[in-house]
Amino acid sequence: MHHNSLDDGGKDRYGRDAASVRYVPQAAERPPHAAYDTALLDLDGVVYAGGEALPHAVDSLGAARESGLRLAYVTNNAARTPDTVAAHLSELGVPALPDEVITSAQAVARLIAGQVPEGAPVLAIGAEGLTAALEERGLRVVASADEDPAAVVQGYGGPHMAWERLMEGALAVQRGVPWFASNTDLTIPSNRGIAPGNGAAVEVVRIATRWMRKPPEPVVAGKPLPPMHRESILRTGAQRPLVVGDRLDTDIEGAHAGRVDSLLVLTGVTDGAQLLAAPPVHRPTYVARDLRGLLEVHPEVTGDASAGFRCGGWEAVAGRDALELSGDGDPLDGLRALCGAAWRAGGEDGCALDTEKALARLGL
């Protein structure tokens, strides 16, 4: 029996009803660049990796921009300023202006500014990007719990963040100062491997305050939560946005939270097995190898649970213990067919069937 992530009221945790639960990747009569007015693009794993442009990214983004699609870059990394990010993109061959970059630092600064007086002192634990975003909102950045901060905020501070800053933040939170975080990603990719992210620093403060009778929790702004999507829409004016990302639990879930369509690219952290196991709020509208997916017509997935799902030359069915795949053709079409079988068979937590053999046929 199929189950989905709907509660007794027929809504998922983002207020969507049963009709919105996705069982197959969507077809596109027109390429996404012609169907949407703004692409809200994640950066690491989508546009670049290890600071270098990913294959096809520069040409695809250039063609999409020339077609009239507005490009905006939405990142949970609060360390760098929009000016720095835009300069980096431009160096890679992707011309960008600072106002086309939206960071979780900007989203959390807007949240704080809405809850404290103008010019209020804010204890900031992070890097230049967080400081600049707070100052943009007219807030005064301080470094000590003894400076009577009106709020404490954490954003990724880079590898050289001082332990003293975490201590000051923990002391302020213990005194009842409202606590905010730009995002809670536990890890970040680096050119040397996976490194601790801002979420790890948030956990340090949480551990230092868990002895309290009512341990506090931070108010979080970044993806996948609605404040980040709101910040993106406010800054871009997008009427029909498309979220483009490589992570199911931030980019794609964030699109669900904002009730907009999404494109998953397979150039980052998500692989075929993770996609097939995705619960409803992690299922993208479209799937593509890379950013060429902005320029391509996406094929239709047809069929049902009993007859199987078909895309291109492939057919996929959910067996007793595993997904079964037959046919040939473009491997990505095979993955799309497998999504149909897996997502229909999956429960609230996603499909638990074995996918290894089916994906091996596709080389994924």
Side-chain angles (χ1 to χ4, degrees), residues 53-322:
L54 285 162
H56 309 293
V58 173
D59 290 345
S60 297
L61 291 174
R65 185 189 291 274
E66 288 178 9
S67 76
L69 182 68
R70 181 173 182 185
L71 306 180
Y73 304 94
V74 184
T75 176
N76 261 2
N77 191 326
R80 298 194 294 172
T81 66
D83 296 74
T84 302
V85 174
H88 178 204
L89 288 168
S90 297
E91 290 171 3
L92 295 178
V94 182
L97 298 174
D99 66 3
E100 295 174 324
V101 178
I102 301 97
T103 73
S104 62
Q106 294 171 322
V108 77
R110 188 185 296 271
L111 276 181
I112 296 169
Q115 298 185 34
V116 304
E118 184 177 356
V122 176
L123 175 53
I125 307 167
E128 181 185 9
L130 182 60
T131 299
L134 293 168
E135 291 176 345
E136 180 189 22
R137 291 287 159 202
L139 300 168
R140 179 166 59 89
V141 176
V142 300
S144 170
D146 295 334
E147 296 180 78
D148 296 322
V152 177
V153 59
Q154 290 184 257
Y156 181 64
H160 304 298
M161 186 175 66
W163 190 261
E164 178 186 12
R165 303 303 294 275
L166 293 172
M167 183 181 72
E168 293 296 329
L171 291 172
V173 173
Q174 290 172 23
R175 296 173 187 177
V177 177
W179 182 21
F180 296 81
S182 64
N183 66 297
T184 52
D185 296 32
L186 289 172
T187 61
I188 60 168
S190 78
N191 56 9
R192 298 175 61 199
I194 301 300
N198 191 54
V202 170
E203 287 301 311
V204 171
V205 175
R206 180 180 281 114
I207 290 168
T209 57
R210 67 184 178 187
W211 57 268
M212 299 171 69
R213 177 171 295 181
K214 291 184 178 180
E217 285 291 325
V219 177
V220 183
K223 295 182 285 188
L225 298 172
M228 187 68 171
H229 183 73
R230 176 172 177 263
E231 190 72 20
S232 302
I233 298 304
L234 286 172
R235 288 183 179 268
T236 64
Q239 298 296 312
R240 184 162 168 71
L242 176 70
V243 169
V244 184
D246 70 310
R247 297 185 69 113
L248 301 178
D249 59 348
T250 55
D251 304 315
I252 306 307
E253 185 172 338
H256 278 269
R259 303 189 180 194
V260 299
D261 289 345
S262 61
L263 167 66
L264 176 76
V265 292
L266 301 175
T267 46
V269 301
T270 300
D271 60 22
Q274 292 167 326
L275 177 61
L276 296 180
V281 296
H282 289 174
R283 296 172 186 170
T285 312
Y286 310 104
V287 180
R289 289 181 180 82
D290 50 53
L291 286 175
R292 288 176 294 180
L294 286 171
L295 311 172
E296 299 168 348
V297 173
H298 290 248
E300 184 178 13
V301 179
T302 61
D304 55 43
S306 58
F309 291 84
R310 291 166 292 282
C311 185
W314 299 96
E315 180 174 320
V317 297
R320 181 183 298 272
D321 301 310

